Amino acid sequence: MRISLAVFLFILCFALPVYTLEKNHLFREAFDSLENWRPLSFPKIKSHTTYTVESTGKESYLKAESKSSASGLVYKKTFSIYEYPKAKWRWRVDLFSLKGDPSKKSGDDYPIRVYFMFRYDPEKASFFEKMQYGLAKKIYGEYPPHSTLNYVWSYTDKIPDVLVSPFTDKARIVVLRKGERYRGQWIVEEVDVLADYRKAFGKNPPSTAGVAIMSDSDNTRGEAASSVDFLEVYRDAP
């Protein structure tokens, strides 16, 4: 049976799933590969979390497996948080044998984090900050973030909705999911990063931001397995 080219294209367009990036979206990461991401490791942590791209046949997703380990992935491009203040993603936690108090250093692990890093600007820093960040650059080769906002899935219900990181007062933890209730289920999260930063820190963030994903279990010496299906950074449509 012969069909015209127009009919063929019409059938093809409706037969294949297509995602069109909306004008108000900066990016949508579907995890077809990891080419848009670079590894993030920490000098004192030798065991790293494993990140792989998995496929269900129809779509792909990022899988993270952590065994007494910690490392992350950083999206290669930065952006203005004032131009694109919102984010959306879908994640799932399948395993976490983590125990402890997340408000203490010994319990500061999460099966999955999506977090935003805000760039340090030496031109706007105080004298003390310039000395502090200058020393850090000599040790690590680059400036650490000015501050970070971590969205996490906690392994315990016994945790506040927002807390200061036990390692640094320049990081805030925003707990979106707690405990066993949604284990094994895909959950969609939508957040206003700019508004959440203002609430958590009580001030405005630096303009330049980046986004990262991490699964860590080094402090609790446990295990975790989690996945992220997609990640979007966007602004409201005009």
Side-chain angles (χ1 to χ4, degrees), residues 101-103 109-110 152 154-163 173 175 177-179:
D101 181 353
S103 67
D109 285 335
Y110 297 97
V152 306
S154 170
Y155 57 89
T156 177
D157 292 313
K158 299 177 181 179
I159 183 175
D161 292 338
V162 180
L163 68 155
I173 310 294
V175 184
R177 301 290 161 180
K178 300 180 181 181

Side-chain angles (χ1 to χ4, degrees), residues 129-170:
E129 286 177 327
K130 287 180 180 179
M131 291 184 60
Q132 185 181 30
Y133 277 84
L135 178 61
K137 186 178 182 181
K138 288 181 180 180
I139 297 173
Y140 301 113
E142 60 181 354
Y143 288 124
H146 168 276
S147 50
T148 63
L149 189 66
N150 295 246
Y151 293 99
V152 306
W153 189 317
S154 170
Y155 57 89
T156 177
D157 292 313
K158 299 177 181 179
I159 183 175
D161 292 338
V162 180
L163 68 155
V164 179
S165 166
F167 283 92
T168 173
D169 63 0
K170 296 183 181 297

